[in-house]
Amino acid sequence: MASFRRGLAVVAVASAFLAASAAGRLALSRTMSDQKPNEGVASAHTMPIQGIDVSYWQGDINWEAARAAGVRFAFIKATEGGDHLDPKFLDNWYAAKRADIARGAYHFVYWCRPANEQRYGSF
């Protein structure tokens, strides 16, 4: 459960940075930081390679600005539950590639649905 919460925190931080980018500010601005981040977040900020997790909810992403700010990879939401395709997946997928950002796709699992309803190919 703790790792799930940490994962949600990472998604929240990435979302906030992307929202800042959409507002015309630099994505992942080096001047923005937690005042007192937990040990896991603090150590992640020191890693030489930085990445983001995005989906429809981040809106239109300036991938060139993200790349210029240090983003080197992106996890891009493709599907959710048993029947939802993220409407921004293909836009994000190809825009990240054009910006020379390594990318991977992920499926967002709903634990209230059986796994066989969420498997690849059921969309």
Side-chain angles (χ1 to χ4, degrees):
M1 188 64 163
S3 64
F4 177 74
R5 287 189 187 128
R6 272 186 243 123
L8 285 178
V10 169
V11 170
V13 169
S15 298
F17 287 136
L18 288 171
S21 174
R25 293 176 246 149
L26 284 177
L28 297 174
S29 171
R30 299 294 183 209
T31 61
M32 297 178 68
S33 65
D34 293 336
Q35 293 300 314
K36 190 176 178 185
N38 70 47
E39 185 178 318
V41 171
S43 67
H45 287 277
T46 66
M47 297 293 128
I49 299 173
Q50 297 290 311
I52 55 176
D53 172 353
V54 301
S55 72
Y56 164 82
W57 298 105
Q58 279 70 53
D60 293 331
I61 297 166
N62 183 335
W63 287 97
E64 293 297 330
R67 174 74 180 172
V71 171
R72 296 298 176 257
F73 69 91
F75 288 114
I76 303 171
K77 180 178 168 185
T79 56
E80 180 176 331
D83 56 3
H84 178 75
L85 298 171
D86 189 293
K88 295 290 287 180
F89 173 70
L90 289 175
D91 291 340
N92 286 329
W93 186 256
Y94 292 113
K97 181 177 182 167
R98 285 191 301 274
D100 197 28
I101 295 175
R103 69 235 150 97
Y106 70 91
H107 171 73
F108 188 88
V109 175
Y110 282 136
W111 296 112
C112 59
R113 292 188 74 166
N116 66 341
E117 290 181 13
Q118 299 186 56
R119 72 183 180 277
Y120 177 78
S122 62
F123 296 92

